[in-house]
Amino acid sequence: MSDATTTDLYEVTMAMSYLREGMTGPATFSLFVRDLPPERGFLVAAGLESVLDYLSGLHVGREDVDAFASAVHRPRRDLRLLLGLEFTGDVRAVPEGRIVLAGEPMLEVTAPLPQAQLAETYVLNQLSHQTAIASKAARCVLAAAGHPVVDFSLRRTHGPQAGFQAARLGAMVGFAGTSNVAAATALGIPAVGTMAHSFVEAFEAEEDAFRAFARSHPGPVTLLVDTYDTEEGVRMATRVLRDLDRGPGSAVRLDSGDLGDLAVRARSILDEAGLPQVRIVASGGLDEYALDDLIRSGAPIDTYAVGTRVGVSADAPYLDSAYKMVQYDGRPVMKLSSAKVTAPGPKQVFRRAGYADVIGLADEQPPDGATPLLETVMRGGQRTGTRPTLDECRETFTADLGGLPWAARRIRAPVAPQATASEPLRALAARVRRRIEKQTAAASTGSSVPERTVTGPHGSVSR
């Protein structure tokens, strides 16, 4: 089976029905986040490269059809119309690393309806998860106020793929390294790591463990000093580092307790021992809130290692994201469901200074001084350009972050900028709403509704 089967069942049943009905006209779906999670003043767009990889390789083969048939409990012949389905559409999207706001389309897919529908689940999964993680990591970079932040999340992320993505996304927003060897090797990210408490416990004496580790690893080393008594562990580390002349570039790591207080004590011990160049690394349940507190307290910590809480975006583990049809076969469509009303038509986001963003129609002229965010990244099922490097994505993020209002950057109680709708978009939404309400009223009274014309692979069919 291929990734085509990584989808929700109803995508399959809908795609099958569309094909049987000859509904293969072009459909545009828009992906956006309805509301930001609490304590978020912005989001960082991420996951697009995974989506483009998926779409460019999407092909429903025989094994996929067998899987679909088994899932819907139907004979294989009933799903033969899905065999050979590939993605041949266009994609417009916000590049990875750009900052986006609530309600703004991050991606729009325009493709034959069955293709655009079948892709929904995978596309939503990748953009939602990766945007949540990238946004959490970006807040850690802000909280660290220039101090290096490294990724220690792999062991508790929701699977190895999620761990790889966390390492990549952290690097995209400015992390200095990752403990994930696979990600470091594949992506060219510095690999970082120290030792575990088990290493210290394996030796009769803590100092023996430090000396053994230093002997095995020439050059700077980082020694974990809180297995037993933290202050005594720091003193042992200073003896080892001085005896072996390993001070420059080396560090001690604090992984538990009152990190701010222990960092002050550790710094004093190291300085008194003549090792001011030995750094202090802190880890253990850290996220942007803990970093913000430690930075504000003046704790003498040089590097912050963040793991579980960042790798799973613990305080906001999901986004209220949606992938909604906005046009089918040239007809703008919208939802009128309570609290989930959508806006019709293909769109563009126009960014103005200070994040006074305007959401407009795709064919609108940009307001004065505004820059369109969505770019064409796929046409006819093929990428339109080369894959951006991590450095390029990081530069994109850094540039966007520089223009973000201070209130949106705050770690606690941020105030997110609010995008507004353009006049042409509001006018279209009003027209579509009136049309739907008129059709709904006619249907409820039994009045006839004009037949619709569906464009299929063999021409137009009235229904």
Side-chain angles (χ1 to χ4, degrees):
M1 295 188 299
S2 74
D3 282 342
T5 59
T6 306
T7 190
D8 289 311
L9 181 62
Y10 79 165
E11 314 287 14
V12 179
T13 57
M14 286 189 288
M16 184 173 68
S17 296
Y18 293 146
L19 288 167
R20 288 177 64 88
E21 293 294 309
M23 297 178 66
T24 57
T28 298
F29 284 76
S30 185
L31 188 151
F32 58 95
V33 176
R34 291 189 180 95
D35 298 296
L36 299 190
E39 298 296 315
R40 293 292 186 273
F42 64 93
L43 296 175
V44 180
L48 176 60
E49 293 307 308
S50 298
V51 166
L52 297 181
D53 286 344
Y54 164 77
L55 292 175
S56 61
L58 180 60
H59 176 85
V60 177
R62 294 184 181 279
E63 290 186 353
D64 303 321
V65 172
D66 289 342
F68 294 153
S70 175
V72 299
H73 307 292
R74 299 275 293 277
R76 186 178 186 278
R77 63 177 179 273
D78 287 357
L79 289 97
R80 65 185 182 277
L81 289 174
L82 289 169
L83 183 63
L85 183 146
E86 297 180 340
F87 185 79
T88 61
D90 301 340
V91 178
R92 297 166 52 252
V94 176
E96 284 195 305
R98 296 223 66 168
I99 289 175
V100 293
L101 308 176
E104 296 183 341
M106 294 171 55
L107 171 145
E108 289 200 336
V109 169
T110 299
L113 179 55
Q115 299 174 21
Q117 189 74 71
L118 191 64
E120 174 182 6
T121 301
Y122 197 100
V123 171
L124 261 175
N125 176 282
Q126 291 301 305
L127 263 70
S128 300
H129 171 252
Q130 295 192 48
T131 296
I133 301 302
S135 304
K136 179 77 169 176
R139 284 165 51 82
C140 289
V141 172
L142 282 173
H147 292 75
V149 181
V150 296
D151 162 53
F152 275 14
S153 68
L154 175 60
R155 62 183 52 204
R156 294 200 183 101
T157 54
H158 297 159
Q161 183 189 45
F164 187 98
Q165 291 171 346
R168 176 182 179 272
L169 298 168
M172 187 181 81
V173 298
F175 279 23
T178 179
S179 66
N180 187 330
V181 175
T185 304
L187 300 172
I189 304 169
V192 296
T194 59
M195 60 173 66
H197 295 104
S198 58
F199 185 87
V200 176
E201 293 168 338
F203 290 81
E204 287 291 335
E206 188 173 24
E207 188 168 334
D208 292 342
F210 292 165
R211 291 185 182 278
F213 192 80
R215 285 194 298 269
S216 297
H217 302 284
V221 292
T222 299
L223 303 177
L224 180 61
V225 295
D226 69 337
T227 303
Y228 305 120
D229 179 278
T230 300
E231 290 185 62
E232 187 58 31
V234 176
R235 293 189 181 94
M236 290 182 189
T238 61
R239 287 198 295 270
V240 171
L241 293 173
R242 283 191 306 180
D243 289 350
L244 300 179
D245 193 22
R246 296 291 186 84
S250 292
V252 296
R253 177 161 72 98
L254 308 173
D255 190 55
S256 58
D258 184 336
L259 295 176
D261 179 63
L262 290 172
V264 170
R265 295 168 185 264
R267 185 74 272 159
S268 177
I269 294 169
L270 291 166
D271 290 349
E272 289 176 5
L275 296 173
Q277 72 275 38
V278 173
R279 297 171 296 111
I280 296 176
V281 178
S283 60
L286 299 180
D287 60 8
E288 71 268 40
Y289 304 107
L291 267 61
D292 187 51
D293 289 341
L294 288 166
I295 291 291
R296 290 178 182 277
S297 74
I301 295 169
D302 300 289
T303 300
Y304 294 92
V306 298
T308 303
R309 294 179 186 275
V310 177
V312 301
S313 188
D315 67 321
Y318 70 92
L319 297 176
D320 185 16
S321 52
Y323 177 93
K324 296 301 179 184
M325 185 191 295
V326 296
Q327 183 167 284
Y328 176 60
D329 214 12
R331 173 172 54 89
V333 298
M334 65 186 296
K335 277 180 62 176
L336 298 182
S337 307
S338 176
K340 290 188 176 181
V341 176
T342 59
K347 299 174 191 68
Q348 179 59 271
V349 179
F350 302 105
R351 174 146 298 163
R352 298 183 294 187
Y355 281 71
D357 292 4
V358 176
I359 304 172
L361 297 175
D363 57 2
E364 279 188 48
Q365 288 299 309
D368 291 342
T371 302
L373 294 192
L374 280 82
E375 302 175 2
T376 300
V377 293
M378 180 170 277
R379 185 176 290 113
Q382 302 295 319
R383 287 175 178 261
T384 57
T386 58
R387 185 188 303 268
T389 65
L390 263 180
D391 287 343
E392 290 170 339
C393 293
R394 189 182 305 114
E395 290 170 2
T396 297
F397 167 71
T398 302
D400 269 14
L401 187 65
L404 190 67
W406 177 83
R409 297 159 58 109
R410 287 199 303 244
I411 301 305
R412 290 179 169 83
V415 179
Q418 300 292 317
T420 59
S422 71
E423 179 55 38
L425 177 56
R426 290 197 298 269
L428 176 63
R431 290 196 302 272
V432 174
R433 176 185 285 272
R434 287 195 297 269
R435 185 193 75 206
I436 294 171
E437 290 174 344
K438 181 178 179 180
Q439 290 173 338
T440 302
S444 66
T445 60
S447 302
S448 62
V449 178
E451 66 178 13
R452 59 188 176 87
T453 299
V454 176
T455 302
H458 305 295
S460 298
V461 179
S462 295
R463 301 191 184 280

